[in-house]
Amino acid sequence: MSDYNYDFIEFSKSILLVITALVPIINPPGGAPIFLAMTDGCSEQERRTMSKRIALNGFVMLLGSMFIGTYVLKFFGLSLPVVRVAGGLVVAAAGWRLLDADDHSLDQSQAPTPGPVVIRRTFYPLTFPLTIGPGSISVAITLGATLRTRGGIDALNLAGGVIGVLVVSLILFLSYRFAGKLITLLGETGTSVFLRLSAFILLCIGVQICWNGAAELIHSVIDSV
């Protein structure tokens, strides 16, 4: 096998590595009902705009985590376990608020919420932590370190990582952009069940992320004794 073919194969593997690692943990289709619940009353045009902004925010956050995340954490003296604990608490709190909301507050037929007020929420909490949370950030940081140590040309591997993040962001945009059609197919009862189930899963994810971080901190304390 020539060096050119080997480098191309490693480049392709880098793209697939990023996609297969990030898509399951971000779970764009699973986040679509949460997106609809959090944008209750918005028009289709507003949701389209917000979907684009969330996808763009997610792209920048994942790319930043992949390339400079390790250095940022070192600069502030933070560790990944601490980020997981803090982020997990925020995610769990958001999941609990959605789970505890009454059906009326989840009804998509309510009077529209002022557009600019809702659109300002595209970064917090819609992008972070509901879409790009501490779990996906820690995975992106790990991927950045992995891409630098794989076989082949480092520049090609990193370029593959950028393309992989771009594909993930596109999947995220499409999932949120057409979330309304999914809810329409489910109907009123199905929508309520799906939203409750998604909120419960979000709560569990937050608790799991928090526990993973706490477990690492506990182990580090035990090991230092």
Side-chain angles (χ1 to χ4, degrees):
M1 181 183 298
S2 66
D3 291 340
Y4 174 80
N5 290 335
Y6 175 76
D7 291 335
F8 178 77
I9 291 174
E10 293 302 315
F11 169 73
S12 302
K13 286 182 178 179
S14 296
I15 298 176
L16 293 176
L17 174 66
V18 172
I19 295 174
T20 54
L22 288 175
V23 169
I25 193 169
I26 296 175
N27 189 17
I34 304 295
F35 170 74
L36 283 180
M38 297 293 288
T39 57
D40 182 28
C42 291
S43 66
E44 282 300 313
Q45 179 60 42
E46 289 170 335
R47 284 201 175 109
R48 184 182 302 112
T49 300
M50 296 175 75
S51 300
K52 291 179 181 178
R53 293 189 182 185
I54 292 172
L56 179 59
N57 290 340
F59 176 77
V60 173
M61 287 188 66
L62 291 173
L63 211 59
S65 299
M66 187 179 295
F67 284 96
I68 64 173
T70 302
Y71 307 106
V72 171
L73 292 181
K74 287 182 179 179
F75 178 80
F76 288 102
L78 300 174
S79 64
L80 277 177
V82 171
V83 173
R84 290 192 182 102
V85 171
L89 291 174
V90 175
V91 172
W96 173 255
R97 284 196 299 269
L98 288 172
L99 187 63
D100 195 47
D102 55 33
D103 289 333
H104 179 69
S105 64
L106 297 177
D107 186 0
Q108 299 297 315
S109 64
Q110 292 186 75
T113 306
V117 175
V118 179
I119 290 177
R120 282 198 296 268
R121 299 164 63 190
T122 51
F123 180 76
Y124 179 84
L126 288 173
T127 301
F128 179 83
L130 295 182
T131 301
I132 308 297
S136 52
I137 288 176
S138 61
V139 169
I141 292 174
T142 305
L143 284 171
T146 303
L147 291 174
R148 292 182 179 89
T149 58
R150 295 183 71 252
I153 302 175
D154 287 346
L156 278 178
N157 289 334
L158 294 176
V162 173
I163 294 175
V165 172
L166 184 62
V167 172
V168 172
S169 301
L170 179 61
I171 295 173
L172 177 61
F173 166 71
L174 294 175
S175 298
Y176 283 11
R177 171 65 183 86
F178 299 104
K181 293 186 177 180
L182 172 63
I183 299 303
T184 300
L185 291 175
L186 290 174
E188 183 177 351
T189 302
T191 298
S192 179
V193 172
F194 198 13
L195 286 173
R196 299 292 185 185
L197 181 59
S198 299
F200 178 71
I201 293 174
L202 185 66
L203 174 62
C204 293
I205 289 174
V207 173
Q208 183 66 58
I209 292 172
C210 184
W211 171 250
N212 289 342
E216 290 185 45
L217 291 174
I218 293 172
H219 283 303
S220 65
V221 172
I222 294 175
D223 293 339
S224 64
V225 175

